[in-house]
Amino acid sequence: VCAIHTSGGSWSYPRSATPSTTPSTATTTSTSPAPFRRDTHDGPVPDYLFEVLLPMAMPLCPMLQVVVFEHLGFTLRSQSDIERWRADFYRMRDIVHTFRNTSNNNNNNNNNNNKNNNNNKNNNNNKN
Protein backbone atom coordinates (compact mmCIF):
# COMPACT_ATOMS: atom_id res chain seq x y z
CA VAL A 1 0.00 0.00 0.00
CA CYS A 2 1.51 3.30 -1.05
CA ALA A 3 -1.57 5.56 -0.71
CA ILE A 4 -4.38 5.97 1.79
CA HIS A 5 -7.57 7.69 0.69
CA THR A 6 -9.62 9.71 3.18
CA SER A 7 -12.86 11.53 2.57
CA GLY A 8 -16.12 12.50 4.07
CA GLY A 9 -19.35 11.00 2.99
CA SER A 10 -22.92 10.37 3.86
CA TRP A 11 -25.07 7.68 5.41
CA SER A 12 -27.22 5.45 3.27
CA TYR A 13 -30.16 3.51 4.52
CA PRO A 14 -31.24 0.17 3.09
CA ARG A 15 -34.75 0.33 1.69
CA SER A 16 -36.08 -1.63 4.64
CA ALA A 17 -34.46 0.73 7.17
CA THR A 18 -35.97 4.00 8.26
CA PRO A 19 -33.97 7.22 7.93
CA SER A 20 -34.95 8.11 11.49
CA THR A 21 -32.52 5.45 12.70
CA THR A 22 -29.30 7.23 13.53
CA PRO A 23 -25.99 5.47 12.94
CA SER A 24 -25.09 5.55 16.63
CA THR A 25 -28.29 3.74 17.62
CA ALA A 26 -28.62 1.45 14.63
CA THR A 27 -28.63 -2.27 15.19
CA THR A 28 -28.31 -4.99 12.62
CA THR A 29 -31.15 -7.46 12.72
CA SER A 30 -33.02 -9.33 10.04
CA THR A 31 -35.86 -6.83 10.34
CA SER A 32 -33.81 -3.65 10.72
CA PRO A 33 -30.67 -3.41 8.55
CA ALA A 34 -28.14 -0.87 9.75
CA PRO A 35 -27.33 2.26 7.78
CA PHE A 36 -23.91 2.26 6.17
CA ARG A 37 -21.33 4.89 5.37
CA ARG A 38 -20.75 5.82 1.73
CA ASP A 39 -17.59 7.37 0.31
CA THR A 40 -19.41 10.20 -1.44
CA HIS A 41 -16.84 13.00 -0.80
CA ASP A 42 -19.65 15.36 0.17
CA GLY A 43 -19.50 15.62 3.95
CA PRO A 44 -17.17 15.93 6.88
CA VAL A 45 -14.67 13.18 7.61
CA PRO A 46 -15.87 11.04 10.52
CA ASP A 47 -13.97 11.62 13.77
CA TYR A 48 -13.35 7.87 14.01
CA LEU A 49 -11.17 8.05 10.91
CA PHE A 50 -8.95 10.67 12.55
CA GLU A 51 -8.98 9.22 16.04
CA VAL A 52 -8.58 5.52 15.24
CA LEU A 53 -8.39 4.39 11.62
CA LEU A 54 -5.73 6.67 10.12
CA PRO A 55 -3.29 6.46 13.06
CA MET A 56 -3.77 2.68 13.12
CA ALA A 57 -3.39 2.19 9.35
CA MET A 58 -0.29 4.27 8.64
CA PRO A 59 2.18 2.15 10.65
CA LEU A 60 0.87 -0.93 8.85
CA CYS A 61 1.89 0.54 5.48
CA PRO A 62 5.70 0.68 5.34
CA MET A 63 5.63 1.76 1.67
CA LEU A 64 3.16 4.63 2.33
CA GLN A 65 3.92 7.67 0.18
CA VAL A 66 0.76 9.78 0.32
CA VAL A 67 -2.46 10.28 2.23
CA VAL A 68 -5.13 11.75 -0.05
CA PHE A 69 -7.90 13.96 1.30
CA GLU A 70 -10.91 14.26 -1.02
CA HIS A 71 -13.98 16.46 -0.90
CA LEU A 72 -16.20 17.71 -3.71
CA GLY A 73 -15.80 21.47 -3.89
CA PHE A 74 -19.37 22.21 -4.93
CA THR A 75 -20.61 20.66 -1.67
CA LEU A 76 -18.98 23.43 0.38
CA ARG A 77 -22.07 25.61 0.43
CA SER A 78 -21.51 27.83 3.46
CA GLN A 79 -18.72 29.40 5.44
CA SER A 80 -19.19 26.77 8.15
CA ASP A 81 -18.81 23.99 5.53
CA ILE A 82 -15.55 25.58 4.39
CA GLU A 83 -14.31 25.96 7.96
CA ARG A 84 -15.11 22.32 8.74
CA TRP A 85 -13.33 21.18 5.56
CA ARG A 86 -10.29 23.27 6.47
CA ALA A 87 -10.30 21.88 10.04
CA ASP A 88 -10.52 18.31 8.67
CA PHE A 89 -7.63 18.97 6.31
CA TYR A 90 -5.41 20.41 9.04
CA ARG A 91 -6.36 17.59 11.39
CA MET A 92 -5.35 15.00 8.79
CA ARG A 93 -2.15 16.89 7.99
CA ASP A 94 -1.19 17.00 11.67
CA ILE A 95 -1.74 13.24 12.04
CA VAL A 96 0.40 12.55 8.96
CA HIS A 97 3.17 14.91 10.14
CA THR A 98 3.18 13.33 13.60
CA PHE A 99 3.41 9.88 12.05
CA ARG A 100 6.19 10.94 9.69
CA ASN A 101 8.19 12.56 12.48
CA THR A 102 7.73 9.54 14.74
CA SER A 103 8.73 7.19 11.91
CA ASN A 104 11.81 9.28 11.12
CA ASN A 105 12.84 9.30 14.78
CA ASN A 106 12.37 5.54 14.99
CA ASN A 107 14.41 5.03 11.81
CA ASN A 108 17.17 7.31 13.13
CA ASN A 109 17.21 5.41 16.43
CA ASN A 110 17.41 2.10 14.55
CA ASN A 111 20.24 3.44 12.39
CA ASN A 112 22.11 4.68 15.46
CA ASN A 113 21.62 1.33 17.19
CA ASN A 114 22.95 -0.47 14.11
CA LYS A 115 25.99 1.86 14.00
CA ASN A 116 26.63 1.29 17.71
CA ASN A 117 26.36 -2.47 17.26
CA ASN A 118 28.79 -2.33 14.33
CA ASN A 119 31.21 -0.14 16.32
CA ASN A 120 31.06 -2.56 19.25
CA LYS A 121 31.80 -5.47 16.90
CA ASN A 122 34.74 -3.58 15.41
CA ASN A 123 36.09 -2.70 18.84
CA ASN A 124 35.82 -6.30 19.96
CA ASN A 125 37.59 -7.48 16.81
CA ASN A 126 40.40 -4.99 17.39
CA LYS A 127 40.94 -6.27 20.92
CA ASN A 128 41.51 -9.80 19.67
Side-chain angles (χ1 to χ4, degrees):
V1 174
C2 63
I4 294 176
H5 159 263
T6 64
S7 76
S10 56
W11 288 99
S12 285
Y13 300 87
R15 290 183 183 172
S16 56
T18 58
S20 62
T21 305
T22 61
S24 61
T25 61
T27 57
T28 304
T29 66
S30 59
T31 60
S32 173
F36 56 94
R37 190 79 177 164
R38 294 185 57 214
D39 176 26
T40 53
H41 302 186
D42 62 353
V45 177
D47 288 334
Y48 188 74
L49 184 135
F50 292 126
E51 294 165 2
V52 177
L53 296 178
L54 188 57
M56 182 176 66
M58 288 189 300
L60 300 174
C61 304
M63 302 302 288
L64 184 64
Q65 296 176 15
V66 64
V67 177
V68 178
F69 178 69
E70 293 184 288
H71 194 104
L72 296 173
F74 68 86
T75 64
L76 300 172
R77 294 182 184 101
S78 67
Q79 188 61 36
S80 65
D81 289 344
I82 293 168
E83 289 168 7
R84 174 65 193 256
W85 174 85
R86 187 173 288 128
D88 283 351
F89 173 80
Y90 287 130
R91 191 173 179 188
M92 185 202 69
R93 185 192 66 179
D94 291 345
I95 292 167
V96 171
H97 282 200
T98 298
F99 170 73
R100 186 175 60 196
N101 291 336
T102 302
S103 294
N104 287 341
N105 288 339
N106 288 341
N107 287 339
N108 289 338
N109 289 339
N110 288 340
N111 289 338
N112 288 337
N113 288 339
N114 289 338
K115 286 178 188 175
N116 289 337
N117 288 339
N118 288 336
N119 287 339
N120 288 340
K121 286 178 190 175
N122 289 336
N123 288 337
N124 288 338
N125 288 339
N126 291 336
K127 290 180 187 178
N128 295 332

